[in-house]
Amino acid sequence: MLVYTPEEEEVFFDQIDKVYSLAEAGSTTEAEAILLQLAADVPLPREDNTLGAILLESIYAFYEQKGDTGMALPHYLAETDFLQEKMKTEAVKNPVHFVTTGSILVDLNELDRARGYFKIALKLAKNKIFNDFNPDFLHMALISDEEFEEFKLTYTPQDDSDGEALNEDIMQELEVLVTQGNEILEEGDFDGAITIFQKAISLLPEPAETWEVYPWIAAPLADAYFGKEEYTLALPYFQIANDLIQEEEPDAFLKMRLGQTLLETGNTEDALIHLNSAYEMGGEEVFEGEDGKYLEHLKVKNT
């Protein structure tokens, strides 16, 4: 790791401030020359020095302001090429660079390449890394190949302005449906619960899975499919709900359900990971009322 002295950092930030000031004053040629000189002075890979991430973000911001984010692409490709090699053997500190690279490729209408970078970001840092980006980016990473082909046919860039929220009428209807669905689920009416939860999801503007409320609908929907022993249908909903909910409110029951579903669909290795996690979070109490084979599987594999 290349660590700059306080004096060197001060000089760097003074130059960055100068770039912004010149750009705002309309002197973009001079501003770009300073920025590119900074890029030449800060060695690759950016991951391995204390100013690298800030430099990349400044490069993107400058070209975004100019309306030509494609000019930032070579800088990001150089970094993400390095990161893809690094992630084979150790953790990556700045996986967000993959999302930014993908966003630039979206601007260039190279959706297939963009999706590849979004999927890497999702693998490294889960859904939360997309919070400050266009919701289409997470959607592209989550959907199947077949769904992606359909998505490309109708894709139009969205305005990803801050503060987008569901309107009050939709939120009220969702609250009613989720309450009804949970009550019916507890009574064992799995088909009725599935119908209600699917209706709730249909109220969410596409892409549905990017809305904050989505995992709280997906989790009980998955549980209803689990109750019907339709494990293949339950799995994707459990996976998305687990990724989103565990980041905010770790849930031992959800971890257990995901592990059970993975076991039922033949993925014994990942099943053990999630069953272990559930056990560590809640002990044997989490497995009370469940088929004994799940806890037995956990005990056998851990002996």
Side-chain angles (χ1 to χ4, degrees), residues 81-266:
D81 285 348
F82 165 78
L83 294 179
Q84 288 183 76
E85 288 300 315
K86 181 179 180 179
M87 60 189 277
K88 295 176 182 178
T89 56
E90 56 185 299
V92 169
K93 295 196 296 290
N94 293 298
V96 71
H97 295 329
F98 289 106
V99 186
T100 306
T101 302
S103 75
I104 296 170
L105 289 166
V106 168
D107 289 343
L108 298 174
N109 203 32
E110 296 188 35
L111 299 185
D112 290 277
R113 288 180 69 194
R115 183 180 183 230
Y117 288 98
F118 295 149
K119 292 178 75 172
I120 294 172
L122 181 66
K123 179 180 179 181
L124 292 176
K126 305 299 183 184
N127 304 55
K128 194 172 184 179
I129 198 171
F130 293 88
N131 284 355
D132 295 329
F133 291 89
N134 188 314
D136 279 332
F137 300 166
L138 174 59
H139 181 64
M140 290 166 67
L142 288 170
I143 58 179
S144 67
D145 291 344
E146 182 177 326
E147 290 170 326
F148 180 63
E149 291 304 315
E150 295 178 2
F151 171 85
K152 288 192 295 183
L153 296 176
T154 58
Y155 174 74
T156 53
Q158 294 186 2
D159 178 9
D160 57 348
S161 56
D162 293 336
E164 188 176 12
L166 293 171
N167 68 50
E168 187 174 345
D169 289 341
I170 291 179
M171 284 301 300
Q172 289 178 350
E173 189 170 356
L174 286 174
E175 289 174 7
V176 171
L177 288 171
V178 171
T179 299
Q180 290 177 345
N182 283 325
E183 290 174 353
I184 292 174
L185 181 60
E186 289 180 8
E187 295 169 359
D189 182 358
F190 302 125
D191 286 318
I194 289 168
T195 299
I196 289 176
F197 290 129
Q198 289 286 16
K199 181 178 179 181
I201 287 177
S202 72
L203 295 177
L204 298 174
E206 291 293 342
E209 64 270 18
T210 61
W211 292 97
E212 186 177 356
V213 298
Y214 181 83
W216 305 103
I217 306 171
L221 172 59
D223 206 27
Y225 279 124
F226 185 91
K228 287 191 67 179
E229 299 183 3
E230 294 184 355
Y231 303 115
T232 301
L233 293 175
L235 184 58
Y237 290 108
F238 273 135
Q239 288 174 321
I240 293 175
N242 179 76
D243 286 344
L244 294 172
I245 292 176
Q246 297 298 336
E247 293 176 355
E248 304 296 335
E249 299 181 29
D251 188 314
F253 179 81
L254 184 56
K255 276 286 185 187
M256 179 193 67
R257 273 288 188 260
L258 177 55
Q260 291 171 321
T261 307
L262 287 164
L263 188 62
E264 296 291 353
T265 53

Side-chain angles (χ1 to χ4, degrees), residues 45-74:
R46 316 296 189 195
E47 176 96 347
D48 288 346
N49 69 75
T50 55
L51 296 177
I54 298 169
L55 174 63
L56 275 176
E57 291 167 4
S58 299
I59 290 171
Y60 178 80
F62 174 79
Y63 286 115
E64 183 181 37
Q65 186 176 354
K66 282 189 66 178
D68 190 8
T69 56
M71 292 296 293
L73 184 60

